[in-house]
Amino acid sequence: MKSIQVAIVHEWLENWAGSELVIEQLIKCYPDAKIFSVVDFLSPKDRARLGNRKIQTSFIQKLPFARRFFRHYLGLMPLAVEQWDFSGFDIVISSHHAVAKGIITGPDQLHVSYVHSPMRYAWDFQNTYLRQSGLNTGLRGLYIRWLFHRLRNWDVRAAAGVDAFVANSGYIARRIRKTWRREAHVIPPPVNLDRFSVNGTKEDYYVVVSRLVPYKRIDLVVEAFRHMPDRKLIVIGGGPDAELVRQKAAGASNISLRGHIPDAELQMTLSKARAFVYAGEEDFGISLVEAQAAGTPVIAYGRGGACDIVQSGTTGLLFDSQSAESIIDAVRTFEEHEKDMTSELCHQNALRFSEELFRSRFTTFVEQQWQAFMPSQPADKV
């Protein structure tokens, strides 16, 4: 009996982040799958997490200055992913947040797309992205708007080639429905919960762990705690907004900026915090799950993936406005009900997002889709 051949398509391999965690688990689901990526610039250490397997890249890998500036070739990426030949595969799984789902498959090939997000900077976050990047005026801004217009047209056409969509949160499922007029099955991404354990002793500080980029709104968290000098805040992480965050925190003795810290120190800092505070609108929010796994309540903006993670009133609180005032009110409300949000409840909540559950949910979904897609095939497992 012919074995079922699987291919996995990733956007690009540069740094190890949330989407790479998904690829790592997909490889565990389908260890014989062939991996495709627009470019592959992973470090040897990170590539080892993918089993040091060979990655099939696109022509963009060899373009001038691609290692540093491959994102500047975004306009060529739809063409790049359309050049791959998948004729030898039965099932193709794309890990999508930009162009991966735009691959071309045939009528007897099942294409399942795991969507981290539709191309947010080309769709509903376009104006925010242009404004924050300083590209909302001038000739360069006009070019970017034209490019995004072309990408949106291509993006909708490419969605028609996907047989089944999987969203990483209910929020992304709604964005898929709005953007592509397609329904998506929700499977949360995998989180390595084994790294975290509950520490019964809490200390008197709040924490946020994040890349310091504009949409994470760490500046709002810092601003809120400037107005609460009797409450301590630890900010962990680095990124383009680091200087802005430093300026916001200047002169505030209750705010500590730690930058990047060793993993063991991160785990301990999370587990001892009174609560994790977050003001960004996330597609999912792995750091929120990690905080819960460490037994720490989460105070988060009540939009996006946080709504799938935080059980408001039980494992944390959701606030309804991206403003310092809302964060201040939420912290005060949390302190009134803090005793009800135990470390054990938080940790148990995080178990819903384990790597094992992800693999089980995803492989079950793909098997069901395969049997429905090719009913004449023997009922073997994929």
Side-chain angles (χ1 to χ4, degrees):
M1 185 180 299
K2 176 183 176 294
S3 61
I4 295 173
Q5 300 299 306
V6 178
I8 298 172
V9 181
H10 191 49
E11 221 78 64
W12 47 71
L13 292 165
E14 180 194 21
N15 299 313
W16 197 265
S19 61
E20 283 70 35
L21 292 172
V22 171
I23 291 297
E24 181 182 30
Q25 295 304 311
L26 290 179
I27 289 174
K28 290 183 178 181
C29 293
Y30 308 104
D32 296 325
K34 186 171 182 179
I35 313 300
F36 294 76
S37 179
V38 172
V39 296
D40 172 20
F41 297 124
L42 279 181
S43 67
K45 177 183 176 181
D46 288 337
R47 185 171 289 102
R49 298 180 67 171
L50 301 181
N52 290 312
R53 61 181 61 220
K54 182 179 179 181
I55 309 296
Q56 175 68 53
T57 58
S58 73
F59 66 79
I60 291 177
Q61 179 86 13
K62 298 181 180 179
L63 291 180
F65 311 109
R67 174 176 289 274
R68 187 172 179 184
F69 298 113
F70 68 86
R71 288 179 179 82
H72 291 208
Y73 292 117
L74 178 64
L76 291 175
M77 288 185 187
L79 175 64
V81 301
E82 290 172 349
Q83 304 313 302
W84 284 320
D85 180 9
F86 293 100
S87 58
F89 298 96
D90 302 292
I91 299 173
V92 183
I93 299 166
S94 60
S95 168
H96 175 89
H97 61 74
V99 299
K101 77 171 192 328
I103 59 174
I104 297 174
T105 55
D108 293 332
Q109 295 172 297
L110 175 67
H111 178 186
V112 176
S113 186
Y114 187 89
V115 180
H116 307 278
S117 173
M119 207 181 308
R120 53 191 299 144
Y121 41 83
W123 287 98
D124 45 325
F125 285 82
Q126 174 186 272
N127 291 325
T128 300
Y129 169 81
L130 292 173
R131 184 172 58 253
Q132 292 176 344
S133 303
L135 296 171
N136 53 334
T137 59
L139 288 176
R140 192 178 176 198
L142 183 62
Y143 165 73
I144 296 296
R145 289 178 186 274
W146 171 80
L147 174 62
F148 285 173
H149 171 73
R150 289 191 60 196
L151 286 172
R152 282 192 293 272
N153 290 337
W154 173 85
D155 197 38
V156 172
R157 292 198 305 272
V162 177
D163 299 296
F165 280 107
V166 179
N168 68 356
S169 67
Y171 171 62
I172 293 302
R174 293 193 297 276
R175 291 189 65 218
I176 289 171
R177 188 180 306 118
K178 181 72 172 181
T179 304
W180 302 323
R181 300 299 179 187
R182 297 285 299 276
E183 295 300 316
H185 181 74
V186 176
I187 300 177
V191 182
N192 181 2
L193 304 179
D194 294 337
R195 295 168 53 216
F196 301 93
S197 58
V198 174
N199 186 314
T201 305
K202 290 292 186 181
E203 297 184 5
D204 190 18
Y205 65 84
Y206 294 82
V207 68
V208 57
V209 181
S210 173
R211 286 187 300 122
L212 303 184
V213 295
Y215 81 92
K216 303 281 189 178
R217 301 314 312 265
I218 307 304
D219 59 313
L220 285 181
V221 180
V222 170
E223 182 182 345
F225 277 82
R226 282 188 65 91
H227 294 286
M228 296 186 289
D230 56 332
R231 295 171 175 87
K232 296 178 182 178
L233 173 69
I234 296 176
V235 180
I236 298 172
D241 259 15
E243 182 57 35
L244 172 63
V245 173
R246 275 193 292 270
Q247 292 174 7
K248 287 276 187 179
S253 60
N254 63 316
I255 301 173
S256 173
L257 308 182
R258 297 279 183 86
H260 296 290
I261 62 177
D263 193 59
E265 184 181 349
L266 168 64
Q267 296 167 29
M268 186 62 67
T269 304
L270 272 179
S271 67
K272 290 185 176 182
R274 291 181 70 175
F276 183 103
V277 185
Y278 194 77
E281 183 175 339
E282 283 285 2
D283 300 328
F284 178 67
I286 287 177
S287 63
L288 279 63
V289 177
E290 291 177 339
Q292 298 267 270
T296 297
V298 171
I299 302 170
Y301 177 46
R303 291 281 300 274
C307 297
D308 286 12
I309 298 169
V310 181
Q311 297 178 352
S312 194
T314 303
T315 70
L317 285 175
L318 299 174
F319 55 90
D320 59 7
S321 174
Q322 281 182 310
S323 67
E325 292 76 13
S326 285
I327 296 171
I328 293 169
D329 289 343
V331 169
R332 289 172 176 164
T333 302
F334 163 76
E335 291 176 352
E336 293 173 2
H337 302 279
E338 185 174 4
K339 66 181 185 300
D340 300 324
M341 304 176 198
T342 67
S343 293
E344 187 57 35
L345 285 173
C346 294
H347 183 76
Q348 288 297 318
N349 181 46
L351 299 181
R352 299 184 292 135
F353 307 102
S354 71
E355 294 173 337
E356 294 79 11
L357 273 178
F358 171 83
R359 294 195 298 267
S360 174
R361 289 165 177 159
F362 192 83
T363 53
T364 297
F365 178 78
V366 171
E367 280 185 33
Q368 292 170 346
Q369 293 300 311
W370 177 248
Q371 296 305 328
F373 184 75
M374 295 292 285
S376 61
Q377 295 291 320
D380 283 358
K381 289 188 176 183
V382 176

